[in-house]
Amino acid sequence: FWLKCSNYRSCAPVIGRHAAPLLPERMSFSYSPTFFMNFPKYHAPHLAKGEELVDPAEEIKVNCLTHCSHWLSEYNQCKTRISMRTDGKGDCKGQYEELAICQDHCLAHELFSHIK
C-alpha cells in the first residue's frame, strides 16, 4: 500500500498495481457562515459606583519579584555590565526571559485563587 500523487490534490492509494478511485473532496463538517456571527455577550462585573476593576495579576507580579529575587539580581547585574560597555554590543534578553519565566510560574500558582 502506497500513495500515487500526480499533484497535491490527486493522491490515490495504490494497492498492488491498481490505483483506487478518487473520491470527491468534501469537508468533514457542514460549514455555516452564520456559525461565527453570534458571539456570547460580555457582561461586565458588578462594581460599586466609582469603583474601578483591579487586575489581581498586577499585585501578584510585584509579590512574585521577591520569590524571583535571584533572577532579578542577575538581570540588574547584566544591565549594569551592558551600560558600562562602550562598543554598544550585548543585551540582557536571556536574563530577562529567565526573570519573566520565574515570575509567570509564580503568578500561575497564585492567580487562579482569585477567579470567582
Side-chain angles (χ1 to χ4, degrees):
F1 172 77
W2 52 282
L3 291 177
K4 179 180 180 182
C5 300
S6 59
N7 62 28
Y8 75 96
R9 289 185 152 231
S10 61
C11 290
V14 177
I15 302 171
R17 292 185 172 183
H18 305 287
L22 289 175
L23 299 174
E25 292 183 29
R26 293 190 319 190
M27 293 172 45
S28 61
F29 57 92
S30 63
Y31 174 75
S32 171
T34 60
F35 179 75
F36 295 105
M37 299 297 284
N38 299 322
F39 295 104
K41 293 188 183 218
Y42 173 73
H43 298 287
H46 300 289
L47 300 173
K49 193 171 188 173
E51 188 179 16
E52 201 170 304
L53 183 64
V54 178
D55 185 9
E58 296 303 319
E59 182 182 322
I60 298 170
K61 275 185 184 180
V62 175
N63 295 339
C64 284
L65 281 177
T66 57
H67 175 73
C68 303
S69 61
H70 171 72
W71 291 113
L72 181 61
S73 66
E74 286 281 330
Y75 177 69
N76 288 333
Q77 289 171 3
C78 177
K79 292 300 279 183
T80 304
R81 283 193 309 272
I82 297 298
S83 67
M84 290 191 302
R85 291 184 72 153
T86 57
D87 58 0
K89 294 182 179 177
D91 59 27
C92 298
K93 288 180 185 175
Q95 289 83 355
Y96 181 78
E97 287 177 8
E98 291 294 337
L99 174 61
I101 289 169
C102 179
Q103 201 173 18
D104 287 345
H105 184 78
C106 173
L107 180 69
H109 289 288
E110 298 289 326
L111 185 64
F112 290 104
S113 65
H114 293 276
I115 294 177
K116 293 179 183 180

